[in-house]
Amino acid sequence: MRVLGVDPGLTRCGLGVVDGGGGRTVRCVAVDVVRTPADAPIEERLLAVGAVVERWIERHRPDVVAIERVFSQHNVRTVMGTAQASGVVALLAARAGLPVAFHTPSEVKAAVTGEGRAAKQQVTTMVTRLLALEEAPRPADAADALALAICHCWRAPMLDRMAKAQARSAELARAHTARLAAAAARRAGEAS
C-alpha cells in the first residue's frame, strides 16, 4: 500500500509518501514541505498548497491519502488555516478517486512511538528509525507527514477488518429483524 501522508498547514504543509509492505515494514518514497508566505492572500496560499499536492498525487500515485485530523487549538486563526488546507487536500484526493483517512495527532504518536502524548522530537526520532533514514526529516512537519503515512499503513488493515465486521453485523441484524417480522406476521395470520 502506498500512502501519501499530509500534515496540513498554510505556512508549512508536510508531505510524505510511504510504501507499506505488509506487517510493520515501511519504506520512505518521498518527503517535503510546502511553504507559503504568511503575508500572501489566503486563496493564493491554498492554491499553492493544492498545486503541489496535486503534482504529488500524479507523480507518486498513492492508494490512499492520510491527513492529520484538525483538532481544537488555542489559536483559532491557526486552526482555520489548517482546516482550510486539510479541506483542499481532501478535495484533491477525492477528485483523483482516492480514499481519504483522517488520523488524530495522538493516534499517530501512539502508532509510531507507543505513546499518544509523545513530543515532536520523539516522533521524528522514531520516524527516522522506522524508515531507516540517514538523517532526520526537517522540519517537524515533514516527519509528521511521514508519521501519518506510517500510522495509516499500520492501522488500515485493522480498520478494514473492523469495517467488514460492522457490515456483517448489520447484515445479520437486518436478516434477524426480517425473520422476527415474518414470524410475527405468521402468528398474527394464525390468530385471525
Side-chain angles (χ1 to χ4, degrees):
M1 169 189 333
R2 177 165 284 189
V3 181
L4 168 58
V6 181
D7 181 30
L10 285 177
T11 304
R12 289 182 315 274
C13 181
L15 303 173
V17 177
V18 169
D19 282 341
R24 304 292 273 184
T25 304
V26 286
R27 182 181 70 83
C28 179
V29 175
V31 63
D32 202 0
V33 173
V34 182
R35 298 171 194 272
T36 65
D39 59 347
I42 186 80
E43 65 275 11
E44 289 178 16
R45 296 175 81 187
L46 291 169
L47 189 61
V49 167
V52 174
V53 168
E54 206 164 31
R55 282 195 303 271
W56 272 57
I57 288 172
E58 290 170 8
R59 180 180 307 139
H60 298 292
R61 306 235 180 259
D63 300 305
V64 62
V65 176
I67 305 171
E68 183 174 273
R69 183 177 300 281
V70 178
F71 64 100
S72 177
Q73 296 175 338
H74 299 295
N75 186 342
V76 174
R77 204 167 131 185
T78 301
V79 81
M80 287 299 294
T82 302
Q84 289 166 327
S86 178
V88 166
V89 173
L91 171 74
L92 292 170
R95 187 177 285 157
L98 298 173
V100 176
F102 291 93
H103 297 284
T104 66
S106 58
E107 279 180 86
V108 174
K109 290 174 183 180
V112 299
T113 70
E115 170 57 51
R117 298 176 69 147
K120 282 202 174 284
Q121 185 55 48
Q122 288 174 285
V123 172
T124 299
T125 299
M126 285 307 297
V127 164
T128 305
R129 276 190 201 150
L130 293 167
L131 295 171
L133 301 174
E134 291 184 18
E135 58 185 56
R138 298 276 184 242
D141 310 88
D144 289 349
L146 290 170
L148 274 151
I150 293 168
C151 172
H152 189 76
C153 284
W154 291 351
R155 291 179 56 92
M158 183 253 322
L159 294 172
D160 186 47
R161 283 192 303 275
M162 284 177 53
K164 286 178 181 172
Q166 287 174 334
R168 179 69 178 137
S169 174
E171 179 184 317
L172 291 171
R174 281 190 300 276
H176 181 68
T177 301
R179 281 193 305 273
L180 289 175
R186 270 194 315 276
R187 282 192 304 272
E190 292 169 2
S192 42

